[in-house]
Structure formats: structure tokens, C-alpha cells
Amino acid sequence: MTTAVPAPTAAAPPPLRRRLRGVTAESVFVERSLRHSLRDGESLLMAILLPVMLMLMFTWVFGGAIDSSGAYVDYVVPGIILTCAGFGASSTAVYVANDMRTGIIDRFRTMPLRAGAILTGHVVASLLRNLVATAIVIGVGVLVGFRPTGSLVEWVALAVLIALYILAITYLFAAIGLAAGSPEGANGYGFVLLFVPYLSSAFVPVASMPGWLQPIAAHQPVTPIVETIRGLLMGTPLNAEPWWAVGWCLVILVIAVAWGAWLFRRKAGRR
Amino acid sequence: MTTNAIEIHNLRKTFGRQTVIDGLSLTVERGEVFALLGPNGAGKTTTINVLTTLTSADSGTASVVGFNVRSQAVEVQRRISLTGQAAAVDDALTATENVVMFARLAGLGRGESHRRAAELIEQFGLTDAASRLVRAFSGGMRRRLDLALSFVVTPEVLFLDEPTTGLDTRSRRELWDLIRSLAASGTTVFLTTQYLEEADQLADRIAVLHNGRVAALGTAAELKARVGGDTVELHDENGELLREIPTDGTVSDLRRALDLLDEDGADGVVTLRRPSLDDVFLALTSPNAHAVKETA
Ligand SMILES: Nc1ncnc2c1ncn2[C@@H]1O[C@H](COP(=O)(O)OP(=O)(O)OP(=O)(O)O)[C@@H](O)[C@H]1O
Ligand SMILES: [Mg+2]
């Protein structure tokens, strides 16, 4: 390094930053976030291992006590699929908070990039991460005796719904990451959200809950989503549940995106 | 067309009730290495943030290579690079991946980005660490990578906010060499520093920032001249300073100083000290700074 450095213009790089075409910035950031995911072994392992353990625990350990006929597996797997789908999304909050804390965001901000491209990167990476984890969890479910009856069309509908749910909850976690002062804080806030599925029909029917809890459990967003997954995979009656499910996902998505954009402008706009 | 690299007119920036930049005006010519010198909290980073479009000022104007930092931010952004006070590298990526990412964000294609990364990694002495995660880098390596990222395209103006803070003497000297050679290739360098030696070593011109405005401006030599001539110092055999007598640098004044020592019957070793930038700095930024301007 003590040797003289050749003039950087020798290789004649372009003198100006070029205007980026299409979604170049977004795809660069997706690639970055995917690398982060793959290198953050702990989070990745947790995002897959914990849901799998959850699946095994509910089917083997609790399953027998709740319903000795074995039908509980078919009841609970859709709920676990949903719980897992949101599980890996929580690390998005930590990644986003981390970006905001380090100086790297300022370097991005001095470049002519579309604001928010960096968030898109985190969100798309989370979507892919969670879809893979969800597929693994469904696979494990089948191994332990889950026998879905859905047709191909129903599976496709299921994939779309789960992707929409992951997207909504990821944006929510991204916004939480922006709102939190630190990655540690982001982790804490994110954890709270993971309890929401337990207060739904995911693990036990709403009718079995204490009376005061029933209205809350029946009308919170997770219940119609779980009921839709159950209907698609097990043929239980769907009624209006899919509309509620999609509606809730869209509502959460719109709120999260708007909140995130507002926070992003405040934190990463001109100060 | 000869636009200046940087023009700042009567810039003002307040945070709450605190006025951080208070009527700052500056012009930096193209190709110059310009140092903004000031103690902690002087407003150096704030000035850089305004110039690099990160912060908007409350009033006044600033332009970079002729483009207004507020109304033509994108044009400014296309022509500058910032290596900020906090290291802006991605810890979870390797050195090469970092450079490739920023090259792609500067609009280079995939292949082009990899070629550029290989060049820069070599140029900035990171070849051995190219495929290691930045997380494990030393402060010096991190700084070099940070600087390399500013050169994926050659910026017209390079902003360096305290580039050598936290580095050991050797890494600092290496970085100085690097900055000099970058400047030699025609890039305008606007740097901030708390180290007078750094400004002395690198900068064509220096502005001393004090209370949000320029307290003094000039070459290192000019600034030193402002605090007067040489000082006659008397040390004992242990090197302990016994007396110091300021002179205006003329032969007669020097003789007067020596006579003064003679009269006192002082005994020891006499040395002649040229004013350092430290003297300038302390003189200009001390609460009774006006005293200096009178003697200058
Ligand atoms: N975002 C902010 N909000 C409130 N006050 C701020 C903000 N940024 C800077 N300041 C204040 O403005 C003053 C100048 O800060 P600045 O970072 O520009 O100083 P500096 O010269 O770069 O100092 P240092 O040598 O410590 O880096 C400080 O008193 C700081 O507390
Ligand atoms: Mg600073």
C-alpha cells in the first residue's frame, strides 16, 4: 500500500454515475439482501428450525392430548403454516434498523437512486426466504401425517395468499425496523407481533376459547387467513373467509407501506 | 466553461435553537484540495451534508460544479462521492462484493462492475482481503475500502469527512499518499479534519471553521504567517521549556530577544520555532481570538 497508486483515471471509468434503467437498483438491493440472509446463518436457521419444531411439537406433543384421534394434525397444520410464514419476516425489522444505524444509508442517499429501493430489496428477499421456509414446513407436515386434499388450483391459490400475507407482514416489520431506534429494539417489537396467531383459530377453534376472547379471535386478521388456508387444503367450508383474508392482507399492506414510506422519508430524507 | 467546484453563499443551518452554520461563504476551485478545519462540533459534517444533498440548509445557497444542491440534487449526486465520517461499507459482504454493488448502482453492467472492482481492489491495496467479509477488516482496511467505493466512477468532487480519524500513524500516512494521488488525477477534494498536520500535508487551501463561519482562510503558510514570526525558545538540559519570546522574524528583533535572555542571565539551549498550524488553530478558535487578528 505504500507504493504510489496509479491515477484512477488510467482505466477511464465513466465520469458520471449513469441513470439506472428499470429496476436495476432494486435488483441490486435484492441480491444484497439475499446475501445477507444466507450469511446470517442464525436467523436463517431460526426461520426454518423454529417453525419445524413448532410443527412437531403441536402434532406430536400437544396433538395427542388435544385430540387423540389424530385429526388434530389436519386441523393445526394450516395454522402452523401461517405462523411460520410470518416467522422469518421479523428479521427484516432487524436488517432495516441496522441499515439505518450504519453510515451506509447515507452513502446510498448521496447517490441518484429511487428512494425506497433498499427497502424493496429487503422485502423481496424476505418474501423468497419465507416462501422457502413455508414449503419446508409443509413438507415436514406431510411427513408427520398431514394429508391435504387440495387440488392444483387450490394449491396455487394457497401460494398466492401466503405470498400476499408474507408481503404484508414483511412490510409491517420493515416499518417497525424504521420506527425502532436500534436493531435490538426492532427485534423486541417484532417479537410481540408473533403472538398474534395464537389468539386466532390457528391452534384451537374459536368456540373453545373463553367467551370474552371469542369476538377478538374471530375478527382478528389471522383467523380468516387460517380458515382460508384450511378450506383450500382440507376442503372445510370457505364461505366469505377468502375475501376477508385478502382484504385484511391488503389493508395491512397499504397501511404498512404508507407508514414505512413516511418513516423512510423522515429518517432517510433530507434532514 | 469554468465553474467552481464548490460555491457556498451565506449558508445557515440551525438544529432547534442551536445555530450550527452561521453565514458560511466559501469558494473551492476545480482541482483543488480544500480542507475544512475545526474542532468537534464546529459544523464540518453539517457543511458536508449540505453539499452532498443529505441535509438542506435553512438559508443561503450552495452549488457543486455549478449545480444547486437543493434544486438540482440529482445532477450533483451524479458527480460526487462521499466517504463519510462513519464507515459506509456493508459488513456482511466481501470487499469485492461491496465494490461490485456500488459499481452496479453507479450504472455499470455486471461484467464491467466486476472488472472495475478488480482494478479498485488492487489500486487500494486490498487484494489479499478481496474475498473476505468486511466484518473482519481492520479500521485501516475499512477506510481504504470506503474510499475505493467512492471511486467506482471518478467523481468530479470527492468529499472526505475526517478520513483518517481512528487510524494509526502508518495507515494515516498511507491514506494521505492515496488521497494525494487521487487529487493529482484532477478530482477536487473537499476534506474535513481536526488534525492540523493533515490539513498542512494535504490541502492547497485551508478554511478554519469556528462558530459556524470561516475564521481564517488561506494556504498553510499564509495561516501560519498570521500568527506572527518565529519564536525564540529557551530550554534547559532536559528539554524543559524555560522561556519563549515571540519575534517578528527580523534580525534586529531576534537580537532583541537574545539580549533579553542575556539580561535575565538565562542559561540553556536556544532554539528557533516556526509557528505551527496548531498555534494558528488555537489562536483563531480560542475565546479571545480577536487578539490574534490585531497582531497579524
Ligand atoms: N441531526 C442533528 N440534530 C441536532 N443537532 C445536530 C444534528 N447534527 C449535528 N448537530 C449538532 O450540530 C453541531 C455541529 O455538528 P457537526 O457534526 O457538523 O460537527 P463536526 O464539526 O462534524 O464535529 P466532529 O468533529 O465531532 O465530527 C453539533 O453541536 C451537533 O450536536
Ligand atoms: Mg463531523
Side-chain angles (χ1 to χ4, degrees), chain B residues 161-268:
Chain B
D161 196 0
E162 302 195 17
T164 65
T165 298
L167 297 189
D168 62 23
T169 314
R170 193 171 143 253
S171 309
R172 175 169 302 157
R173 285 182 188 285
E174 286 177 0
L175 207 64
W176 285 350
D177 286 340
L178 196 58
I179 293 168
R180 273 193 207 103
S181 59
L182 299 175
S185 69
T187 292
T188 307
V189 179
F190 186 94
L191 67 94
T192 75
T193 182
Q194 303 182 33
Y195 302 110
L196 306 143
E197 195 196 351
E198 187 158 290
D200 204 356
Q201 287 272 337
L202 291 176
D204 298 321
R205 284 195 306 149
I206 300 165
V208 179
L209 195 61
H210 186 52
N211 290 336
R213 56 175 78 199
V214 175
L217 176 73
T219 63
E222 284 166 359
L223 290 183
K224 288 174 190 173
R226 285 188 63 167
V227 284
D230 302 354
T231 307
V232 171
E233 291 185 346
L234 184 71
H235 297 266
D236 66 11
E237 60 272 22
N238 298 324
E240 200 82 32
L241 182 65
L242 298 175
R243 293 266 321 254
E244 53 179 346
I245 305 171
T247 75
D248 62 9
T250 61
V251 176
S252 60
D253 204 39
L254 207 63
R255 187 165 292 133
R256 180 190 58 84
L258 290 175
D259 289 344
L260 216 63
L261 288 178
D262 253 353
E263 281 166 30
D264 295 358
D267 194 19

Side-chain angles (χ1 to χ4, degrees), chain B residues 40-41 43-46 85 161-162 192 194:
Chain B
N40 285 135
K44 303 183 295 295
T45 300
T46 307
Q85 195 165 355
D161 196 0
E162 302 195 17
T192 75
Q194 303 182 33

Side-chain angles (χ1 to χ4, degrees), chain A residues 32 36 39 107 109 271, chain B residues 54-55 78 90 92 97 146:
Chain A
R32 163 177 188 257
H36 280 205
R39 298 218 172 117
R107 192 190 279 280
R109 287 173 54 219
R271 287 183 279 250
Chain B
L54 291 173
T55 303
R78 293 181 69 199
D90 192 329
E97 287 165 353
D146 206 334

Side-chain angles (χ1 to χ4, degrees), chain A residues 28-71:
Chain A
V28 170
F29 282 122
V30 169
E31 203 177 309
R32 163 177 188 257
S33 297
L34 282 177
R35 277 189 213 278
H36 280 205
S37 303
L38 291 174
R39 298 218 172 117
D40 185 6
E42 273 175 26
S43 298
L44 194 64
L45 197 68
M46 283 302 175
I48 293 172
L49 208 62
L50 283 181
V52 166
M53 279 168 51
L54 202 68
M55 169 73 81
L56 295 178
M57 203 166 73
F58 271 95
T59 49
W60 283 343
V61 184
F62 300 157
I66 296 171
D67 172 13
S68 54
S69 74

Side-chain angles (χ1 to χ4, degrees), chain A residues 56-133:
Chain A
L56 295 178
M57 203 166 73
F58 271 95
T59 49
W60 283 343
V61 184
F62 300 157
I66 296 171
D67 172 13
S68 54
S69 74
Y72 184 63
V73 173
D74 287 338
Y75 180 83
V76 83
V77 169
I80 293 173
I81 291 172
L82 179 102
T83 311
C84 299
F87 217 90
S90 65
S91 46
T92 303
V94 179
Y95 291 140
V96 169
N98 216 7
D99 271 353
M100 291 295 147
R101 192 179 56 168
T102 60
I104 202 158
I105 190 71
D106 279 347
R107 192 190 279 280
F108 291 135
R109 287 173 54 219
T110 61
M111 306 193 313
L113 300 173
R114 213 180 344 265
I118 186 165
L119 287 188
T120 308
H122 284 304
V123 168
V124 173
S126 163
L127 183 60
L128 296 175
R129 216 166 51 220
N130 285 290
L131 283 177
V132 169

